[in-house]
Every structure is written in C-alpha cells, then in structure tokens.
Amino acid sequence: MTRIDRRFEKLRSEGRKAFVSYVMAGDPDYATSRDIVLGLPGAGVDVIELGLPFTDPMADGSTIQLAGQRALGSGQTLEKTLQIVRELRATDDETPVVMMGYYNPIYSRGVERFLAEAKEAGIDGLIVVDLPPEEDDELCIPAQKAGLNFIRLATPTTDDRRLPVVLQNTSGFVYYVSITGITGAAEAQADLVAPEVARIKAQTDLPVIVGFGIRTPETAEAIARIADGSVVGSAIVSEIAKGRPVAEVLDYVRALADGAHRA
C-alpha cells in the first residue's frame, strides 16, 4: 500500500472526507514554496498535490500558468521540486504527495531515472495530464511497478464508453474535474457533480475526489458531501500570488480543509 492508499483507508475508517490541496512548486520562490508545503499537513491537508512547473501548461488557466512562470523565473527545476518533497519527508512520513504536471520534464529526465528519484524523494503518486490511457506503457505502467500510484482525471465529457478505459490502470484515487475547461474557471455545483460521481463510483472502488471551481469552505463542504473529498488549487495559488505571508496562506487552507472535513 502507498501512503495514498493508507490515508484513504484511515479516512474511511474514521468516516471522514479528504481535503486535497494543490500548490505550484517554487511559487513564488523556493523558500516560500517549501515553507507552505511543510505547513500544509498542519493546516488539515490530507493529500498534497505539488505542481511541477512547465513552460506550456495547456490544461491550466491563467492563475496556475502564471504560478508556473513565477516558479520557473525564480529558478525552480524538477530537482528542486524533488528536494521540497525530501524536506517534507524529514519531518512527515505520512502525508501523501502527488506530483502533478506534464510529461515533457519527466521524458527529458528519463522515465526510469525519474521514477527512481521520485520514489527516493518520497513522492507517492503522479497526475500527468497530457498522457492519455492509450500511452499507459509510457509512464503509467512503469510508475505502478515502481510503487507509485497513477491518478487519472475523469471529466464531464468522459462518457460511459470512455470511462472504463480511463479507470483501467488508475490507482490511488480518481480525480473528477467538475467543470468543462481549464483550471480556475467556473464554480463547481454539487447538484451537477453528484450524478457524475455516482456514475464513476458504480465502476470503481477507488475514492473519487472532485476538483476545479472550489474557492470557499462552503463549496469544499458541499462537494465533499457528494464525493470522497474535494480539491482546491487555483484559489490557494491566487492567495500566494497576492504575496500573502505563509501564515495567512495556511490560514486560508485551514478554512477550506475545515469545510471539507465538516462534510
């Protein structure tokens, strides 16, 4: 079992829903990003999604695109992203970390080398948004053999023919994208999401976590009530972009986590 598997098993046994947070590694700089990541577990985060900055983030809206630009501009690299995880693992060996990003930086490093380094650093899972299931031999299967979960996205356009293909080699959890389009767009609506979550859960025993369009504790709670948890990314990244002190960013995260945990 990975840390992700253990965390969701623990949450199930306690009758609790998950709160998952996304931040971009290196945004606005290495030290600030590291301090935020190290503070996330104490703010109530159950799973950390750590963005790997990339020059062409085609699935992301302007908020996360700009975060990636700030990170790259401050010198963030794949190696420095792994180092943030190593620093977290020095004090926290339980909170799962999922690296989220695009395939190019992984391909450039070499899949075998990347997976060995990711495992050594303490990464537990991957979300690679530009590798479809048809390319599972490229990274998904090797990652799972290396002991990392490979988390797949399902969307409102993933129909009943496509869904089994998406779920086939998915592990850890399923990330349901609540809206059609890029990150940071419209607000998630629990009444629209609920039947889609039920449709996915009818075909898998994996937890289904819902993200995109969650900005408030109230929405985090509403979404968590109809799923296994909620994900917030762009809203947190927006607080970082405003230059908020680390403590204020973590206070905002804590309020969102409290919302999800009320579900």
Side-chain angles (χ1 to χ4, degrees):
M1 292 182 73
T2 65
R3 290 184 186 90
I4 297 171
D5 300 325
R6 290 194 293 271
R7 178 54 54 95
F8 280 105
E9 186 176 79
K10 182 174 186 290
L11 289 166
R12 274 193 301 270
S13 70
E14 295 171 351
R16 298 171 63 235
K17 300 300 181 73
F19 179 69
V20 182
S21 69
Y22 170 96
V23 294
M24 178 68 72
D27 176 33
D29 55 65
Y30 181 90
T32 304
S33 174
R34 175 202 59 209
D35 291 349
I36 291 171
V37 170
L38 267 58
L40 291 175
V45 172
D46 297 298
V47 179
I48 298 169
E49 286 182 6
L50 187 60
L52 177 62
F54 180 52
T55 54
D56 188 22
M58 60 186 178
D60 293 308
S62 60
T63 299
I64 290 179
Q65 285 188 22
L66 290 169
Q69 290 176 18
R70 289 191 298 270
L72 292 170
S74 72
Q76 189 69 13
T77 62
L78 174 53
E79 176 56 37
K80 288 183 177 180
T81 302
L82 294 173
Q83 185 57 31
I84 289 176
V85 182
R86 294 186 188 102
E87 293 200 49
L88 174 70
R89 290 288 172 239
T91 58
D92 183 329
D93 194 44
E94 295 185 357
T95 303
V97 177
V98 176
M99 181 179 284
M100 185 172 185
Y102 298 83
Y103 185 45
N104 184 277
I106 297 170
Y107 177 81
S108 297
R109 200 168 189 86
V111 167
E112 186 174 348
R113 177 186 174 189
F114 167 78
L115 291 174
E117 292 176 342
K119 184 72 174 175
E120 173 272 327
I123 289 172
D124 306 290
L126 301 173
I127 299 175
V128 182
V129 297
D130 55 346
L131 274 182
E134 287 75 13
E135 305 295 336
D136 274 357
D137 289 340
E138 192 80 21
L139 181 63
C140 173
I141 302 301
Q144 304 218 48
K145 287 180 179 177
L148 278 72
N149 291 125
F150 200 88
I151 294 125
R152 192 82 71 188
L153 304 181
T155 75
T157 60
T158 306
D159 61 22
D160 288 336
R161 287 191 302 172
R162 183 65 175 169
L163 185 58
V165 179
V166 170
L167 296 175
Q168 183 175 3
N169 291 317
T170 299
S171 64
F173 60 90
V174 179
Y175 186 142
Y176 180 69
V177 176
S178 65
I179 57 175
T180 302
I182 55 176
T183 58
E187 184 173 350
Q189 301 291 330
D191 58 335
L192 300 178
V193 171
E196 293 300 304
V197 171
R199 183 170 68 92
I200 296 168
K201 291 180 77 67
Q203 297 198 38
T204 182
D205 293 328
L206 292 171
V208 179
I209 308 302
V210 176
F212 285 48
I214 302 173
R215 300 184 182 89
T216 67
E218 292 74 22
T219 307
E221 178 181 359
I223 292 296
R225 285 189 186 280
I226 53 89
D228 295 299
S230 54
V231 187
V232 179
S234 293
I236 297 171
V237 172
S238 292
E239 293 301 301
I240 297 170
K242 294 172 185 174
R244 306 280 196 210
V246 170
E248 289 187 15
V249 173
L250 294 175
D251 284 344
Y252 177 65
V253 173
R254 186 175 294 106
L256 293 164
D258 289 347
H261 292 150
R262 284 194 297 268

